[in-house]
Amino acid sequence: MKPRIAIFSLTGCEGCSLAILELEDQLLDLLGAVDIVNFREGMTDRAWDIDIGFVDGAVSTPEDEKEVRHFREHCKVLVAIGSCACLGGINTLKHYQGATGPKGRGAIGENGSDAYRRYVYGDKAEWFPTTEARPISAVVKVDYELPGCPMVKEEFLAFVTSLLAGRTFKLPDFAVCVECKKRGTLCLYEKGILCLGPVTRAGCNAICPAFGSKCEGCRGIVSKEALVAAGINLREQYNVELQEVLDDLRLYGAYQEADLP
Amino acid sequence: MLAPPIPYKPTNAELYLPKPARILRITQLTEMEKHYELAFLDGHRLNHQPGQFVQVSILGVGECPISICSSPTRPDTFELCIRRAGSVTNRIHALREKDIIGIRGPLGHGFDVTEMHGKDILMIAGGLGMAPLRSLVQYVLDERPRFGQFHLLYGCREPKELLFTDDLTRWRESGDVNLKITVDRPDEQWRGRVGVVTTLFADLPKLNPQDTVVVIVGPPVMFKFVVIEVLARRIPQSSIYCSLERRMKCGIGKCGHCQANHVYVCIDGPVFKYGQLKAMREAME
Amino acid sequence: MKNVSIDVKHVTRVEGHGNITIRVQDGAITRLELAIVESPRFFEAFLRGRKYDEAPHITCRICGICSVGHTTASVKAVEAACGIEPSEQTVLLRKLILYGEELQSHFLHLYFLAVPDYFGVGSVIPLAKTHPDVVRRALRMKKLANDICAVVGGRHIHPIALHVGGITHVPRDEELLDLKRRLEATRADLAETAALFATLKVPQLERPTEYVSLKTQNGEYAFYDGDIVSTLDPKPTKAADYRSRILETVVEHSAAKHCRSPNSPTYAVGALARFNNNHSQLHPTARQIARTLGLEPICNNPYHNNTAQLIESVHCVEAAIEILDTLLTHGMQVEPLRKPTRHGLGAGLAEVPRGLLVHEYGIDAKNRIESANLIIPTGQNLANIEEDMRALVPPLLESGLGKEQITLQLEMLVRAYDPCISCATHMLDIKWDET
Amino acid sequence: MLDRMLTHPELLELVNELALQRRIVGPVARDGRYFYEEVTRATDLDLTFNYCVYSPRGALFPPQETLFVFKRTNGTFTAEPVIDVRPTALVGVHPCDIHAIRLLDHVFEQDQRDEHYLSRRAHTMIVGIDCQRPCTEGVFCADMETNAADKGFDVMLYPLSDPGATEPLYGVVYGTSIGRDWVLYGRRGRIPTATDERTFEQYQRHKTDAFPRMLRMKADELPALLDRSYDSLLWEATARRCYSCGSCNLSCPTCYCFNILDETDLSGTTGRRERTWDGCHLREFAEVAGGHNFRPKAGSRLRHRIYRKAKWIRQRTGLPGCVGCARCDRACTAKINSVEIYNQLAEEV
Ligand SMILES: Cc1cc2nc3c(=O)[nH]c(=O)nc-3n(C[C@H](O)[C@H](O)[C@H](O)COP(=O)(O)OP(=O)(O)OC[C@H]3O[C@@H](n4cnc5c(N)ncnc54)[C@H](O)[C@@H]3O)c2cc1C
Ligand code: SF4
Ligand code: SF4
Ligand code: SF4
């Protein structure tokens, strides 16, 4: 029996679902190996008995919360895809606005922390229900996470093939630097750029450094120890405060801050 | 004009290739361990030494090292005892009799049985350590006249973790081995000894240090305490054998994963003499 | 049918979540809305305080499908605000990747989102069985478009190498040659695509509409650059003055920022708008295809947006080949990123697949973003789609079609605009009462 | 003793001829640094390069390679080894990297021959180029006695011209008959004269002075130093900064550890077993099922690497385990520096 697959979207850019359609070379094989039964972005029919549900986007409204619970109920395996679903993603930046200040990842409404809402909607702000932006694991149990902004489509494929072959799927437990070395990319530190690679989970094939751009940490922090080391190194070796780098790390994973030292 | 290239023919291209072997028999030993009897499809024999291991493959999933738990004196088939621990071993547990898996080996250095001939033997097994040791136990029993006294001490955490209980009964009844068993945590039915494996030393007769070979296989925590008991009985360090476990990938001394200090456990071991291990700080930690 | 109530929850095969609500009582439309239920994301708000050069990498996350477009408008806006003049090579590469995205988006829309309607199936998946050659062609074309983006920017979704002040990676000659070879080969695929679309029956709907787009003064069909023009007012307006052409207002009944122009209460942007304004600047091959498909400016049938996308695809392939030739002739170098020379307010406009996109930032003396305004194509189109529906529903009702047929026609109309609702939601949400 | 003299254009012609038969891999300028890359023309190489960011080991031991492909069919399987033997010439290899390749040769030959490496190696010709002075700051090849090589190459080039000259003149030493045949069959160059030999002697004398000593001890004293230092607190102190990112391992020419992974296609019936570079600094390197990690702390992993490089590899193979190229030190974004570690350890005693 082919596994029945669904692809859902919460608050996000839907780039991760789109990435699945960008697996052009493998798409027909994929469609041969699984049954896609629910994918709003690409199809009209929708079914609700689902083996593996993929969700992109963060939970950021009361509606999202309801939906993700619904997904959980109807999917045997629930997989968060992309940084929004795994880490909160870029949506969490809204918590670093105006009165909230850099550390105030507070609930909406506290300390005028919905300044972001007013900025966009003015006195109509109340019309737009919104909650703290969170990864879906903050609301429901998630079986697997495939982080990345966007999700790494090759990793998605590797995930599906592992499942089909009965291999346990595991995210790399090492930093992006490993992949830079394998690709033979010149380390950005040699160009004086503080790259987030040493503290970021690999699996993206170090694509950003390969294209001359520093790793922005979109796959999340690889380990607490690495972050502790970063704090020490930045201060002692580079004369930079960790806080500045945290500002960068926040781009896709502000929600991780709860775990930061 | 360019010189013609020198022809080159690879001589060992099958280094990493597993060979298909059929599962002839599966016995559930405990909740976590199953016992497999296997034979190569092409009729080849494994021809191993006790203490060696094989790499077991589920193609598409991976490969992992497993000790051979049967004796080379029973050469038509070979046996493995596999604990469910991760992705490969879980998949192996899902297999049924007649299924086929990949085997590469035998690998590593086993016990030097000829060195043991004519000696008294003391074996100490802890937990899953019984699996590699069983190969040697069977060997000694099959070649019983070549050996002197034979003591086997076996410790487990709980009675339900005891491996090869049928064998244990048979061995004990044969009278060929002085078998002592203990568990850390007894259950209601347990009538035997309770306590860590070192408590069994009290039951041993006086050992003859020059004529005794000691073999220790078990988890690292057990190891140190047992060695102390053994050394206290004046056994020379060159007569104490033990078997190490490390993460392994290639099993042939290339990949580096099993390195403990300067040794490669897969090719220099997994069987070592205590004298060697002492120089390896990491092995003792 | 006198009383009809249509609720399409989550229009499928569009990017983002949108609902259609229609109430007809006694033959008159009492309620007609295209509602966006996607969660608001507050990009304009959280851009504030971030470093100037982060804007493109943040705003491309507005939308996975047009992230190159957002990046383009964003770098242009920051550069306008900071007084940065990008190098010629940078502009060429940016144009190339933008063509890649136009192609990727148009192909996706034509084959994956629109074609299933014409074949009467729910998605492209059944077509893989019934029309494998069509699907394989679609995938081949889409992959080429993606690869253009990947070669220039690292990847299509959230491109990496595009930065304020330049580009951090230059493609290798072999990569460019490969793209060129494949672009040339794709001409045959485009011809077959055109043949396919020539056989499809495009629904009729004529409603006089104002079409707004950019237009260049140098004769280039506008994507990367240009001034604002419209079918009602062809006088060009500079990017910095976009506010005089795009009036964002809060409409009370919908609580959404709607856009209108000084000339019309609603207007349309997108491929058809560009075609209507810039038809004469199309590559001759594209004009030829337009003739074959019978599309002429000014076309007022929104369903022909798909036809315009196809014509633009032909143009983009030819334009991309020309850029590749230039790049290959001149050779490329890694150039350092150019740095700000001043600070202030700057607008960046680009024609992205779905139409005119505006980014505008205020950058402060510390090179931090202090204000941001983004106007997204779908946001501009929404009101116009509603107007189209208003025109479409009465004849449909009269024709005696069933509710299902009407719903399909409405959904097709929405899909023809190729709305990108993820994009639009930074600004728009509609509430309505259930009746 | 020199075997032949080649002018720069002659060398390029020879390389171009070689390119008809072999893939050419050599130093290419990119991003203001040099990298070993495949080229189609000799002129794409820059033999005046100072150092290559990464060693040429990837040409012999690629970051990822297939060991075998398999197919699962009715209950059983078949498997076919993959041996990749593209004829290659590595042109422009410095002595340190030649030493490192010798170590790889040894490791993959020892005990069981690994044909995946050895076949590729057998089809690879090495054209070395000597360094008259340190290629960059921080290298300690002279300390490791690896700044010159007398074997491990097919041809060695000594750039003998004065630094001011526009085109170098290479003194050539043959290492193998393959190298000799390449030059001789190519009918390029000339026989060295007595003057050439004198220039060469002078070159060698200059060279001896040009390399500073970085270590406070000799290479052969390192094992004893480390023996005394197992319990030093320096390991943990230094490793506080360590990200466990493995950059040191992965950029090291003498690191040969690898991981093995299976990959399958979507149908699950065919697949590959692959090996890919690994590094002992990575957290999971010594972790076993159930979660026990034999080197759980960055300090123990750092110690392991340094012991391997300066003691254990030499102990097992008789060859240097570190060739002093300082790539690990440059790659480390935490600025953990092996020379500093050795010298600090020396201070402790
Ligand atoms: C010499 C030797 C003999 C062994 N004999 C037996 C035995 O007789 N019975 C038994 O049940 N187990 C034995 N083990 C342990 C067994 O190898 C591991 O339980 C097994 O590798 C777990 O693999 P996995 O894929 O299921 O787990 P995962 O956690 O998924 O491990 C992935 C991979 O890591 C490596 N790995 C993980 N744990 C170990 C480990 N403990 N030792 C070596 N490599 C590891 C393997 O390559 C494995 O495939 C032995 C180990 C060694 C080194
Ligand atoms: S560029 Fe970044 S990810 Fe790559 S090696 Fe350097 S620090 Fe690591
Ligand atoms: S350990 Fe460092 S200096 Fe030594 S060979 Fe490796 S990278 Fe070079
Ligand atoms: S490169 Fe530096 S930080 Fe990274 S693992 Fe090696 S020593 Fe640690």
Side-chain angles (χ1 to χ4, degrees):
Chain A
M1 255 288 281
K2 291 203 255 173
R4 293 167 64 81
I5 286 195
I7 299 149
F8 302 116
S9 291
L10 299 171
T11 303
C13 76
E14 301 197 12
C16 298
S17 322
L18 184 70
I20 298 173
L21 292 181
E22 295 203 348
L23 281 166
E24 288 96 1
D25 287 341
Q26 295 87 11
L27 204 60
L28 290 177
D29 286 345
L30 185 69
L31 293 177
V34 303
D35 275 327
I36 299 188
V37 296
N38 193 329
F39 182 14
R40 187 198 40 72
E41 198 175 338
M43 63 197 287
T44 303
D45 324 302
R46 316 185 75 183
W48 284 106
D49 49 332
I50 294 155
D51 294 316
I52 313 171
F54 295 94
V55 184
D56 76 8
V59 173
S60 92
T61 62
E63 180 72 15
D64 285 342
E65 247 185 84
K66 260 198 289 190
E67 284 203 32
V68 76
R69 292 214 164 87
H70 186 69
F71 301 157
R72 176 71 267 185
E73 228 169 82
H74 290 91
C75 301
K76 294 196 188 92
V77 174
L78 194 68
V79 188
I81 56 174
S83 302
C84 295
C86 300
L87 308 165
I90 200 130
N91 309 287
T92 50
L93 275 185
K94 69 182 187 186
H95 302 302
Y96 296 89
Q97 265 314 301
T100 353
K103 267 282 183 190
R105 197 168 57 80
I108 311 308
E110 281 173 22
N111 318 324
S113 64
D114 70 344
Y116 57 87
R117 213 154 37 135
R118 294 194 182 284
Y119 184 71
V120 180
Y121 296 105
D123 56 2
K124 301 285 190 299
E126 275 68 42
W127 295 45
F128 305 94
T130 157
T131 58
E132 184 189 16
R134 283 155 295 162
I136 63 174
S137 61
V139 180
V140 294
K141 179 178 159 282
V142 173
D143 299 298
Y144 296 95
E145 297 192 330
L146 305 176
C149 190
M151 163 185 87
V152 182
K153 57 186 178 185
E154 292 78 11
E155 191 170 60
F156 171 82
L157 203 63
F159 173 80
V160 175
T161 40
S162 308
L163 244 56
L164 291 173
R167 246 186 340 264
T168 335
F169 177 84
K170 246 179 98 238
L171 288 177
D173 178 50
F174 45 79
V176 178
C177 303
V178 168
E179 292 174 340
C180 265
K181 297 295 166 308
K182 287 186 186 172
R183 285 184 81 132
T185 304
L186 176 63
C187 178
L188 292 167
Y189 279 77
E190 290 216 26
K191 300 188 200 168
I193 297 170
L194 294 183
C195 173
L196 293 183
V199 299
T200 303
R201 186 185 301 283
C204 52
N205 201 13
I207 188 171
C208 292
F211 279 81
S213 212
K214 68 172 187 183
C215 166
E216 295 178 334
C218 76
R219 287 178 53 88
I221 292 163
V222 63
S223 77
K224 228 176 196 166
E225 294 99 302
L227 208 63
V228 173
I232 298 169
N233 286 326
L234 292 169
R235 204 167 42 250
E236 292 175 6
Q237 313 290 324
Y238 294 93
N239 233 345
V240 175
E241 281 305 315
L242 180 64
Q243 204 53 44
E244 273 180 53
V245 175
L246 284 185
D247 216 39
D248 291 353
L249 266 181
R250 226 170 251 149
L251 214 43
Y252 306 103
Y255 198 82
Q256 301 169 96
E257 199 152 315
D259 299 329
L260 301 188
Chain B
M1 252 300 288
L2 279 163
I6 293 175
Y8 176 87
K9 215 175 145 342
T11 53
N12 198 26
E14 313 219 314
L15 183 60
Y16 293 95
L17 281 197
K19 287 206 314 186
R22 189 180 299 282
I23 301 176
L24 303 175
R25 197 163 45 85
I26 304 179
T27 321
Q28 183 93 37
L29 292 180
T30 72
E31 196 195 327
M32 299 295 286
E33 282 97 6
K34 284 187 182 180
H35 180 194
Y36 297 82
E37 186 177 349
L38 302 148
F40 284 117
L41 279 195
D42 64 4
H44 261 86
R45 290 175 164 189
L46 190 60
N47 292 332
H48 65 286
Q49 299 169 298
Q52 281 191 299
F53 65 97
V54 289
Q55 283 278 10
V56 184
S57 271
I58 301 280
L59 290 175
V61 179
E63 195 176 41
C64 69
I66 300 291
S67 309
I68 304 153
C69 70
S70 57
S71 164
T73 49
R74 306 165 188 198
D76 291 340
T77 62
F78 58 97
E79 296 168 34
L80 308 173
C81 162
I82 301 178
R83 169 179 292 181
R84 191 146 52 81
S87 74
V88 180
T89 49
N90 274 330
R91 275 297 297 269
I92 297 174
H93 270 237
L95 295 177
R96 282 172 306 207
E97 286 178 3
K98 297 208 179 59
D99 283 349
I100 286 166
I101 54 177
I103 296 287
R104 194 156 61 88
L107 302 169
H109 259 87
F111 297 102
D112 189 342
V113 282
T114 49
E115 226 176 69
M116 298 179 184
H117 286 165
K119 301 272 172 95
D120 293 341
I121 310 286
L122 166 60
M123 296 188 197
I124 302 105
L128 192 54
M130 193 66 211
L133 209 54
R134 179 172 176 267
S135 170
L136 190 60
V137 173
Q138 281 189 345
Y139 182 89
V140 173
L141 293 177
D142 288 353
E143 305 274 317
R144 193 66 188 86
R146 290 174 181 263
F147 300 91
Q149 293 184 23
F150 179 17
H151 312 283
L152 173 56
L153 314 183
Y154 181 22
C156 259
R157 275 180 310 187
E158 294 177 53
K160 66 173 161 63
E161 288 179 7
L162 284 172
L163 299 174
F164 307 112
T165 43
D166 293 350
D167 285 344
L168 296 175
T169 317
R170 211 168 326 117
W171 295 344
R172 178 175 292 150
E173 285 168 0
S174 73
D176 285 338
V177 52
N178 170 28
L179 172 65
K180 303 276 176 203
I181 303 174
T182 178
V183 299
D184 299 358
R185 273 176 270 132
D187 59 15
E188 257 119 69
Q189 286 83 45
W190 183 250
R191 298 284 168 270
R193 295 283 298 260
V194 174
V196 292
V197 76
T198 43
T199 56
L200 295 176
F201 275 83
D203 293 12
L204 287 177
K206 187 174 170 349
L207 302 174
N208 179 353
Q210 293 320 312
D211 271 328
T212 303
V213 169
V214 181
V215 181
I216 311 168
V217 191
V221 276
M222 172 195 104
F223 184 71
K224 222 180 206 165
F225 296 105
V226 173
V227 168
I228 291 170
E229 292 296 333
V230 174
L231 289 177
R233 283 165 178 76
R234 294 203 171 79
I235 309 286
Q237 301 186 0
S238 59
S239 299
I240 307 175
Y241 287 90
C242 45
S243 180
L244 285 193
E245 192 178 320
R246 280 292 182 283
R247 182 186 180 88
M248 270 178 205
K249 282 291 167 186
C250 72
I252 47 170
K254 313 282 184 210
C255 81
H257 283 271
C258 68
Q259 193 180 9
N261 298 77
H262 61 289
V263 309
Y264 275 58
V265 172
C266 67
I267 48 171
D268 303 339
V271 171
F272 292 93
K273 288 187 177 174
Y274 174 66
Q276 287 171 288
L277 284 194
K278 234 183 11 169
M280 294 161 53
R281 294 284 301 274
E282 218 174 56
M284 304 296 291
E285 272 163 12
Chain C
M1 280 199 288
K2 287 209 136 190
N3 296 316
V4 181
S5 162
I6 293 178
D7 283 292
V8 183
K9 188 123 167 71
H10 291 192
V11 179
T12 55
R13 281 179 284 134
V14 299
E15 244 262 335
H17 304 216
N19 297 342
I20 301 173
T21 312
I22 292 176
R23 298 281 177 279
V24 179
Q25 256 160 14
D26 301 328
I29 299 172
T30 55
R31 169 176 223 89
L32 189 153
E33 273 159 11
L34 174 62
I36 305 305
V37 293
E38 181 96 7
S39 329
R41 300 181 64 200
F42 308 103
F43 274 87
E44 286 131 318
F46 59 61
L47 278 167
R48 290 178 306 156
R50 301 294 309 194
K51 286 175 235 141
Y52 77 103
D53 54 355
E54 289 180 318
H57 282 200
I58 292 178
T59 53
C60 71
R61 266 82 188 179
I62 289 173
C63 174
I65 209 166
C66 20
S67 52
V68 171
H70 279 288
T71 309
T72 306
S74 184
V75 288
K76 286 178 65 190
V78 178
E79 286 171 358
C82 297
I84 300 170
E85 189 67 44
S87 75
E88 228 169 283
Q89 174 183 298
T90 298
V91 172
L92 283 175
L93 286 168
R94 283 180 187 169
K95 283 183 181 169
L96 181 59
I97 190 172
L98 190 56
Y99 290 136
E101 176 161 279
E102 308 281 349
L103 288 171
Q104 137 75 27
S105 177
H106 285 356
F107 293 157
L108 179 78
H109 185 231
L110 291 170
Y111 274 107
F112 284 67
L113 310 181
V115 157
D117 282 333
Y118 292 105
F119 281 94
V121 290
S123 75
V124 78
I125 296 171
L127 292 183
K129 288 206 187 73
T130 55
H131 299 77
D133 48 324
V134 174
V135 174
R136 236 175 258 126
R137 184 201 312 143
L139 289 171
R140 184 166 60 234
M141 293 166 72
K142 212 167 88 59
K143 181 171 165 56
L144 167 60
N146 269 338
D147 287 350
I148 297 175
C149 298
V151 163
V152 179
R155 62 188 172 206
H156 163 242
I157 305 171
H158 311 331
I160 297 152
L162 304 183
H163 283 263
V164 172
I167 198 154
T168 50
H169 173 87
V170 292
R172 287 180 289 119
D173 283 358
E174 308 89 85
E175 293 174 310
L176 298 181
L177 277 169
D178 175 61
L179 290 181
K180 186 178 167 214
R181 191 183 48 71
R182 287 165 60 197
L183 278 163
E184 284 164 355
T186 213
R187 285 172 178 146
D189 284 339
L190 276 167
E192 291 197 38
T193 308
L196 171 69
F197 272 81
T199 65
L200 304 180
K201 209 173 133 343
V202 178
Q204 283 307 309
L205 174 67
E206 287 284 330
R207 190 180 65 78
T209 302
E210 180 179 15
Y211 288 95
V212 177
S213 76
L214 296 181
K215 186 185 198 84
T216 65
Q217 303 308 313
N218 61 8
E220 187 174 304
Y221 189 85
F223 281 115
Y224 178 74
D225 222 346
D227 303 324
I228 306 172
V229 298
S230 89
T231 43
L232 297 185
D233 180 3
K235 187 169 54 57
T237 302
K238 291 275 167 228
D241 300 327
Y242 74 91
R243 283 174 202 269
S244 71
R245 297 295 291 254
I246 304 173
L247 311 175
E248 281 190 289
T249 52
V250 177
V251 182
E252 209 180 332
H253 79 266
S254 76
K257 283 183 188 173
H258 268 203
C259 294
R260 61 182 178 81
S261 89
N263 317 302
S264 330
T266 73
Y267 64 86
V269 298
L272 190 56
R274 289 188 292 259
F275 174 84
N276 280 336
N277 285 314
N278 304 331
H279 165 266
S280 64
Q281 298 173 332
L282 281 167
H283 190 276
T285 328
R287 276 207 305 270
Q288 178 57 45
I289 295 271
R291 264 193 300 281
T292 320
L293 294 171
L295 192 69
E296 279 170 33
I298 291 166
C299 167
N300 277 310
N301 178 355
Y303 288 102
H304 269 303
N305 196 40
N306 288 343
T307 319
Q309 287 176 329
L310 177 54
I311 293 162
E312 281 195 338
S313 302
V314 175
H315 174 86
C316 288
V317 164
E318 300 302 331
I321 292 174
E322 277 168 25
I323 290 193
L324 286 169
D325 276 331
T326 318
L327 290 171
L328 282 163
T329 321
H330 293 293
M332 270 170 302
Q333 294 146 22
V334 190
E335 302 164 325
L337 297 182
R338 301 192 175 173
K339 296 288 169 212
T341 57
R342 58 176 163 78
H343 55 92
L345 195 66
L349 275 57
E351 281 290 345
V352 302
R354 280 155 203 78
L356 176 60
L357 172 65
V358 180
H359 281 221
E360 184 193 54
Y361 310 117
I363 312 268
D364 70 13
K366 288 196 211 127
N367 286 329
R368 299 264 170 181
I369 299 164
E370 58 181 3
S371 68
N373 188 33
L374 314 172
I375 303 176
I376 273 83
T378 298
Q380 298 169 71
N381 276 337
L382 280 169
N384 203 61
I385 304 177
E386 285 185 5
E387 283 309 305
D388 282 347
M389 288 199 216
R390 247 177 250 285
L392 183 64
V393 170
L396 286 179
L397 288 173
E398 264 161 43
S399 68
L401 285 178
K403 198 166 136 176
E404 243 170 61
Q405 277 301 312
I406 300 179
T407 306
L408 176 67
Q409 293 267 328
L410 289 175
E411 281 204 72
M412 276 177 77
L413 173 70
V414 174
R415 278 200 280 272
Y417 277 88
D418 191 7
C420 184
I421 295 165
S422 311
C423 284
T425 49
H426 79 289
M427 53 175 292
L428 196 133
D429 202 340
I430 303 176
K431 285 186 161 184
W432 71 98
D433 320 315
E434 291 289 351
T435 48
Chain D
M1 272 283 284
L2 294 170
D3 291 318
R4 193 115 189 130
M5 302 303 291
L6 280 176
T7 66
H8 189 67
E10 283 170 336
L11 174 67
L12 294 186
E13 284 165 21
L14 280 175
V15 172
N16 277 334
E17 267 175 28
L18 204 53
L20 301 175
Q21 234 182 26
R22 296 171 183 268
R23 135 182 108 125
I24 306 290
V25 175
V28 171
R30 174 159 59 82
D31 274 353
R33 301 285 199 292
Y34 293 94
F35 296 83
Y36 284 105
E37 275 179 15
E38 194 176 333
V39 298
T40 45
R41 286 174 313 234
T43 41
D44 293 342
L45 300 175
D46 186 347
L47 292 174
T48 65
F49 73 110
N50 46 5
Y51 65 93
C52 282
V53 173
Y54 301 113
S55 83
R57 80 165 167 152
L60 293 164
F61 174 43
Q64 181 146 349
E65 71 179 304
T66 304
L67 297 174
F68 60 83
V69 291
F70 59 82
K71 199 172 189 156
R72 296 205 287 213
T73 37
N74 39 27
T76 180
F77 64 85
T78 51
E80 194 62 42
V82 177
I83 305 274
D84 163 29
V85 286
R86 200 142 54 115
T88 299
L90 284 173
V91 180
V93 185
H94 279 163
C96 59
D97 287 336
I98 289 176
H99 280 276
I101 292 172
R102 285 189 59 210
L103 174 71
L104 299 186
D105 292 351
H106 183 95
V107 168
F108 286 109
E109 250 166 36
Q110 206 175 23
D111 298 310
Q112 300 248 36
R113 294 178 58 78
D114 182 317
E115 292 290 358
H116 304 278
Y117 174 89
L118 293 173
S119 300
R120 200 179 287 112
R121 178 68 182 90
H123 289 83
T124 303
M125 179 175 153
I126 293 178
V127 179
I129 186 160
D130 194 56
C131 317
Q132 195 182 14
R133 60 192 78 78
C135 58
T136 183
E137 271 173 37
V139 297
F140 52 108
C141 45
D143 300 274
M144 292 308 193
E145 294 164 355
T146 52
N147 61 341
D150 57 6
K151 49 178 166 300
F153 49 81
D154 295 282
V155 163
M156 180 63 103
L157 307 170
Y158 293 89
L160 289 184
S161 47
D162 320 319
T166 46
E167 275 187 345
L169 176 70
Y170 299 103
V172 178
V173 170
Y174 303 143
T176 63
S177 59
I178 297 178
R180 180 200 60 210
D181 291 356
W182 170 52
V183 177
L184 291 185
Y185 274 78
R187 297 180 190 285
R188 301 294 195 305
R190 57 171 172 80
I191 293 166
T193 61
T195 329
D196 293 329
E197 290 294 353
R198 265 198 306 282
T199 322
F200 187 42
E201 275 163 31
Q202 227 169 3
Y203 171 96
Q204 298 289 19
R205 267 199 306 280
H206 278 297
K207 173 164 175 162
T208 319
D209 303 334
F211 284 83
R213 297 282 153 165
M214 309 285 289
L215 295 182
R216 296 192 181 178
M217 72 300 292
K218 294 225 184 74
D220 54 10
E221 292 163 7
L222 283 170
L225 171 72
L226 290 179
D227 274 341
R228 296 194 297 272
S229 309
Y230 198 83
D231 295 310
S232 168
L233 295 177
L234 188 74
W235 304 116
E236 209 173 310
T238 311
R240 263 205 336 180
R241 309 209 300 269
C242 176
Y243 289 110
S244 298
C245 69
S247 289
C248 47
N249 291 133
L250 288 134
S251 52
C252 174
T254 69
C255 271
Y256 53 80
C257 293
F258 55 85
N259 201 354
I260 299 182
L261 304 164
D262 281 13
E263 281 177 10
T264 40
D265 66 5
L266 275 161
S267 71
T269 53
T270 59
R272 303 162 296 286
R273 186 157 288 168
E274 306 256 318
R275 79 162 148 215
T276 155
W277 287 356
D278 209 335
C280 59
H281 262 276
L282 303 178
R283 266 179 302 276
E284 275 189 350
F285 189 80
E287 192 179 298
V288 292
H292 181 72
N293 194 331
F294 287 94
R295 283 185 291 278
K297 291 171 108 182
S300 51
R301 295 192 287 267
L302 173 64
R303 180 176 62 196
H304 184 83
R305 170 169 66 97
I306 297 290
Y307 264 73
R308 256 182 88 93
K309 298 298 165 189
K311 176 172 189 290
W312 294 332
I313 288 183
R314 191 184 282 276
Q315 195 171 325
R316 285 188 77 87
T317 64
L319 296 168
C322 166
V323 297
C325 66
R327 287 194 178 94
C328 54
D329 302 339
R330 282 195 302 272
C332 181
T333 59
K335 303 189 185 173
I336 292 174
N337 184 295
S338 45
V339 172
E340 200 179 302
I341 290 177
Y342 296 129
N343 287 340
Q344 281 179 331
L345 288 176
E347 244 170 48
E348 286 179 5
V349 195

